[in-house]
Amino acid sequence: MVDWNLAVATATRLVRPGPEVSRDEARAVVAELRRHAKASEEHVRGFTRLGTDETHDTPVLVVDRPGWVRANVAGFRELLKPLLDKMQARRGSSPGGVVLGAVGGKVTGVELGMLLSFLASRVLGQYETFAPATRELPAGANGGGRLLLVAPNIVHVERELDVEPHDFRLWVCLHEETHRTQFTAVPWLRDHLEGEIQSFLSETDVDPMAFLERVREAAQSLVGGRPEGEEDDGGRSLVELVQTPAQREILGRLTAVMSLLEGHADYVMDGVGPDVVPTVAEIREKFQQRRAKGASRLDTALRKLLGLDAKLRQYREGERFVRAVVEQVGMDGFNRVWTSPNTLPTKAEIAKPADWVARVHRRAEP
């Protein structure tokens, strides 16, 4: 169904080269990012009151853009296996299924490679939750997981923003270390998230005609050809528009979780910042401006099409949720969010933090 090797080869061939650095400078950047990642563990644990020394069994890998591509292809391959097996079985039983599968796998591999080449120059860091261990890319012993820091992208952005490089590198590490702490300190979180994702994928309609019909409807909506009487789609991306109603319900829960995780990481990186990152206010202001405008008109269009604008909203809405809850009930009160899946905020509660506080912190009436 997907030629994964072709996806890697395509992305590696198409990805733009990183900023020009000397060999010595590259070594220095890698060494500094590793030091900052290590220092961030203590900073994040102290601020969030989550985790212990024993909870961090996941490796930190400083990678280039092709390294990020290879790591993500390995993760996609693991996560999508149940869905692709189902689609392969459906196609294999149809006339010409084997031939169509081989051709389709090549096409999908090239398309995935093109997408990854676009993303590979934009990601600063990433905690890979579902990463399988490989010879080149180690992962945590308990269920996988690894922290990636994409060195050329970090250097590119710090130069573009004209900020203090050492401060910016530590600031990025604080954000990514928060994600690592979330998953290593909250044992049930990974399984819960994987369960939701697999439920989402299991709802995928493997009937090509049904899927094409949703694509057609999505295209009509995007170009303004929505049937008369239907409500506006609210500016959803193409990715969202081709989903089934059941998938949209699951996506609502996933969106709430991702808003929480991203907002919490943003809150922590700025909360720790003043003590260890002297220029954190300048970095945040310039970084927010860069997030908001995008790099170009094409970049803005692609972000919309792929749903990346929704991710930017997750940062903003999630950070507001965390800040509001901490102001009301303190960090220990906020940390009740990690008690179980039942204490995670809903999508509505992300927008109304007081409702989450009332639900989770409600006390018995006298």
Side-chain angles (χ1 to χ4, degrees), residues 24 51 66 118-119 130 136 143 159 165 173 199 207 265 291-292 297 314 360:
D24 287 343
F118 170 76
L119 296 174
F130 310 107
E136 294 181 347
R159 290 178 178 179
C173 288
S199 294
D207 182 349
R291 268 183 181 172
R297 185 173 297 179
Q314 288 174 7
V360 175

Side-chain angles (χ1 to χ4, degrees), residues 51-306:
T52 65
D53 290 337
E54 289 72 31
T55 58
H56 282 146
D57 71 333
T58 54
V60 176
L61 306 180
V62 181
V63 298
D64 57 10
R65 290 170 178 175
W68 179 87
V69 168
R70 288 192 293 271
N72 275 266
V73 165
F76 284 149
R77 193 170 188 168
E78 182 77 10
L79 197 60
L80 295 177
K81 189 177 185 303
L83 171 64
L84 295 180
D85 286 348
K86 182 171 71 171
M87 296 180 72
Q88 184 68 43
R90 176 74 173 265
R91 175 175 284 179
S93 63
S94 63
V98 175
V99 175
L100 288 173
V103 174
K106 299 291 185 184
V107 173
T108 307
V110 170
E111 291 173 340
L112 178 59
M114 294 172 65
L115 171 61
L116 289 171
S117 72
F118 170 76
L119 296 174
S121 62
R122 286 157 174 77
V123 177
L124 301 182
Q126 174 186 2
Y127 182 74
E128 276 203 295
T129 314
F130 310 107
T134 67
R135 185 172 59 183
E136 294 181 347
L137 296 164
N142 299 319
R146 56 182 165 240
L147 181 60
L148 305 179
L149 297 170
V150 191
N153 295 350
I154 293 172
V155 172
H156 171 78
V157 173
E158 70 191 25
R159 290 178 178 179
E160 180 185 316
L161 298 181
D162 190 25
V163 293
E164 211 290 319
H166 306 295
D167 285 3
F168 183 74
R169 294 167 194 174
L170 176 55
W171 189 69
V172 171
C173 288
L174 289 169
H175 181 101
E176 303 309 331
E177 176 57 36
T178 301
H179 285 317
R180 185 162 72 139
T181 297
Q182 290 164 347
F183 283 94
T184 54
V186 184
W188 55 264
L189 184 57
R190 178 190 183 278
D191 290 342
H192 172 72
L193 194 58
E194 183 177 21
E196 290 281 58
I197 292 172
Q198 291 303 332
S199 294
F200 180 88
L201 294 176
S202 70
E203 290 291 336
T204 299
D205 194 335
V206 295
D207 182 349
M209 295 307 297
F211 183 78
L212 288 173
E213 178 63 19
R214 291 204 302 277
V215 171
R216 183 190 65 79
E217 294 173 355
Q220 286 182 340
S221 179
L222 288 172
V223 300
R226 190 169 46 257
E228 184 177 358
E230 287 192 9
E231 295 183 358
D232 192 355
D233 56 66
R236 292 197 301 268
S237 69
L238 180 61
V239 175
E240 293 173 293
L241 287 166
V242 297
Q243 293 161 3
T244 66
Q247 285 177 315
R248 288 179 191 145
E249 182 179 342
I250 299 168
L251 184 66
R253 297 195 298 270
L254 280 169
T255 297
V257 175
M258 297 311 298
S259 296
L260 170 69
L261 299 179
E262 296 293 359
H264 183 233
D266 262 17
Y267 178 80
V268 171
M269 73 194 296
D270 287 347
V272 173
D275 291 332
V276 298
V277 183
T279 60
V280 63
E282 176 192 358
I283 291 173
R284 167 56 70 188
E285 181 180 0
K286 290 183 176 180
F287 195 74
Q288 290 286 61
Q289 291 172 357
R290 182 181 186 274
R291 268 183 181 172
K293 70 181 182 181
S296 65
R297 185 173 297 179
L298 174 61
D299 184 76
T300 301
L302 286 171
R303 289 192 322 184
K304 172 61 182 173
L305 181 65
L306 298 173

